[in-house]
Amino acid sequence: MPADNVIVGLDVGTTKVCAVIGEFDNDGKLAITGVGTSPSFGLRRGVVINIESTLKSVSAAVEAAELMSGREVSSVITGIVGSHIEGINSRGVVAVTGKGREITQSDMDRVIEAAKAVVIPMDREILHVIPQEYIVDDQGGIRNPLDMIGVRLEAEVHIITGSVTSAQNLVKCVNRAGFKVEAIVLESLAAAEAVLSREEKDLGSLLIDLGGGTTDILVHIEGAPYYTNVIPLGGAQVTGDISIMLKTPVETAERLKRESGCCHFSLVEPGEETIIPGLGGRPPLALARRDLCAIIQPRIAEIFSIVRDRIEKKGFAGRLNGGVVLTGGGAQLPGSVELAQEVFGTAARVGLPTRLGGLVEEYRRPEIASAVGLVMYGARFADPQAREGAAKDGPRSGIFTSMRQWFRNFFE
Ligand SMILES: Nc1ncnc2c1ncn2[C@@H]1O[C@H](COP(=O)(O)OP(=O)(O)OP(=O)(O)O)[C@@H](O)[C@H]1O
Ligand SMILES: [Mg+2]
């Protein structure tokens, strides 16, 4: 039976599709009751290129999650990624119209609308509009201006846009697998919801989601997103490098990476060895873990350096006092934290979704973070109590509403 108190996050990734079922208990607490994953074959760098194959992975992942939770899924909140995603900062200004110049919800809605009035190419649409700060007359840094008195209301916002066709293809897969898409959320925003603390967002942090096909980054400054970017490199490139350098099939390279891989020399003792299985009558070979590390480390360092260059170019490098947080499957590589600390010159940690109850063992993994985040994202807007601290994202005028609006315009 589909139940009202169930929220489902569906992360359609390049290497795996992951469905996570969250349920509110009688006390209104959210717990994860189902996690299902299935290998994904129909995507390239985060974007659907084969509908049939993707819908099969979606069905399999949801089915597995349904089995675990005993719930039937009818609708999902889907994540979106890909190089087509772009983030820009914008600003809107309106006059406060209400009685006594008291700022109302309608003023806040209007100022967001004004900030949205930027020229966006025909093939792209707005995915999220997230308020960063409000300015009432000349007083800046206001998170929630409701009921304040002023003449002029300004909003600074981060606008995330995406390709209409990429989103439509994603929705088509999910619909054809038999599920309604409740909303589309940028994966990195979802991951941030699951793994970043309020302090990290306030102090300034860099979230890096090391996926299979893409590396997604999201910079928070003073509590709000300021920079979004997608780098078309990920764990698949690391596996590809290993496969080429060691002349082994991709499957073997993937296994070697997961079982013996490392991306920081300091963590591997000189004598440590692993085995490359024999192929076609060839005998198995011993491989020094340091040699494997010598293949992996440069690629991850390259990805981190690209991220660092982009952050520096945008002027955010010196503003990351909350440090770097790594999620996605790639964050599980031993040494990822050490390497990030070196490249970014700041504290780093692996981000696991830890704030919910339920099937802790199943979901406290960095590659499940986005899917858990999608559930948390949905919950924040479904349950008024869970909205605490959400004022900055503006539950009424903010992300979800605009997302729904966008969604209505294009898919219904
Ligand atoms: N234990 C591990 N050690 C090293 N790498 C790992 C480990 N587990 C998973 N990975 C790598 O993480 C990548 C998959 O991560 P994730 O599941 O976050 O990607 P995805 O969401 O499917 O892809 P994308 O976000 O790019 O669409 C793969 O390249 C995989 O090899
Ligand atoms: Mg992913």
Side-chain angles (χ1 to χ4, degrees):
M1 275 282 292
D4 286 346
N5 61 342
V6 169
I7 296 175
V8 184
L10 182 71
D11 169 7
V12 184
T14 310
T15 53
K16 54 116 187 39
V17 175
C18 178
V20 168
I21 299 180
E23 284 182 51
F24 288 106
D25 64 17
N26 291 338
D27 303 330
K29 275 220 180 91
L30 185 64
I32 300 300
T33 57
V35 178
T37 57
S38 168
S40 164
F41 303 105
L43 279 89
R44 195 160 182 271
R45 303 205 194 288
V47 172
V48 176
I49 53 162
N50 183 331
I51 298 224
E52 201 58 37
S53 161
T54 307
L55 86 84
K56 278 188 190 145
S57 306
V58 168
S59 300
V62 174
E63 221 166 89
E66 282 179 328
L67 261 176
M68 198 182 277
S69 73
R71 297 285 182 195
E72 195 182 308
V73 171
S74 57
S75 62
V76 298
I77 294 173
T78 303
I80 190 164
V81 280
S83 312
H84 59 94
I85 299 291
E86 271 173 22
I88 51 166
N89 294 321
S90 174
R91 166 187 276 240
V93 189
V94 294
V96 179
T97 53
K99 213 173 62 198
R101 299 282 175 201
E102 213 170 85
I103 295 168
T104 60
Q105 187 62 50
S106 130
D107 294 317
M108 286 166 69
D109 290 346
R110 280 191 307 118
V111 79
I112 298 297
E113 279 304 313
K116 267 166 72 177
V118 285
V119 180
I120 288 160
M122 283 288 284
D123 57 345
R124 312 180 64 75
E125 255 309 322
I126 293 178
L127 202 49
H128 300 285
V129 179
I130 308 159
Q132 295 163 331
E133 67 163 332
Y134 291 93
I135 302 150
V136 178
D137 296 339
D138 283 325
Q139 180 61 54
I142 297 166
R143 291 195 175 190
N144 186 2
L146 194 65
D147 298 337
M148 284 180 71
I149 291 168
V151 176
R152 175 191 165 95
L153 176 65
E154 290 174 66
E156 305 250 356
V157 300
H158 189 59
I159 300 179
I160 294 166
T161 66
S163 138
V164 173
T165 46
S166 294
Q168 281 174 330
N169 281 326
L170 177 65
V171 170
K172 197 167 174 183
C173 288
V174 180
N175 286 160
R176 283 193 36 198
F179 311 108
K180 184 169 167 269
V181 176
E182 200 84 55
I184 297 187
V185 178
L186 180 67
E187 290 270 340
S188 53
L189 275 179
E193 184 82 25
V195 305
L196 291 186
S197 66
R198 167 76 31 208
E199 293 74 37
E200 282 169 329
K201 290 183 189 170
D202 285 346
L203 285 168
S205 62
L206 166 63
L207 178 79
I208 306 180
D209 180 344
L210 278 166
T214 61
T215 297
D216 313 335
I217 60 175
L218 179 64
V219 173
H220 274 84
I221 303 285
E222 289 175 15
Y226 270 76
Y227 181 59
T228 325
N229 204 256
V230 178
I231 292 147
L233 294 172
Q237 273 66 45
V238 176
T239 304
D241 293 344
I242 299 171
S243 165
I244 290 166
M245 299 294 283
L246 300 179
K247 300 185 181 61
T248 59
V250 171
E251 296 73 38
T252 311
E254 177 72 22
R255 218 179 70 217
L256 279 169
K257 178 177 82 171
R258 289 188 187 220
E259 287 171 6
S260 313
C262 182
C263 64
H264 203 270
F265 267 115
S266 67
L267 301 182
V268 189
E269 296 297 324
E272 282 182 65
E273 285 191 341
T274 183
I275 302 290
I276 312 174
L279 195 79
R282 273 186 282 161
L285 275 177
L287 169 72
R289 270 193 78 206
R290 284 210 155 181
D291 291 344
L292 185 59
C293 184
I295 301 171
I296 300 172
Q297 182 162 345
R299 182 61 92 169
I300 303 285
E302 181 201 4
I303 295 175
F304 285 167
S305 305
I306 295 172
V307 173
R308 187 195 53 205
D309 292 348
R310 294 192 181 179
I311 301 285
E312 274 174 2
K313 221 168 102 196
K314 295 283 170 186
F316 293 122
R319 304 180 66 185
L320 305 175
N321 296 325
V324 174
V325 179
L326 304 170
T327 65
Q332 294 186 92
L333 260 178
S336 59
V337 166
E338 288 78 359
L339 190 58
Q341 275 165 349
E342 239 167 62
V343 175
F344 296 99
T346 173
R349 69 175 181 93
V350 172
L352 304 172
T354 53
R355 289 201 276 275
L356 305 182
L359 302 170
V360 173
E361 290 295 309
E362 272 74 20
Y363 78 81
R364 280 193 186 163
R365 305 209 306 266
E367 75 265 38
I368 310 288
S370 310
V372 172
L374 290 168
V375 172
M376 293 171 75
Y377 211 97
R380 187 139 63 88
F381 295 95
D383 169 29
Q385 279 182 347
R387 284 181 189 170
E388 216 189 311
K392 192 149 195 203
D393 290 352
R396 300 222 78 70
S397 62
I399 319 166
F400 225 51
T401 319
S402 63
M403 191 164 64
R404 282 239 167 94
Q405 191 57 50
W406 177 75
F407 204 63
R408 268 201 294 278
N409 292 345
F410 283 85
F411 302 106
E412 286 177 358

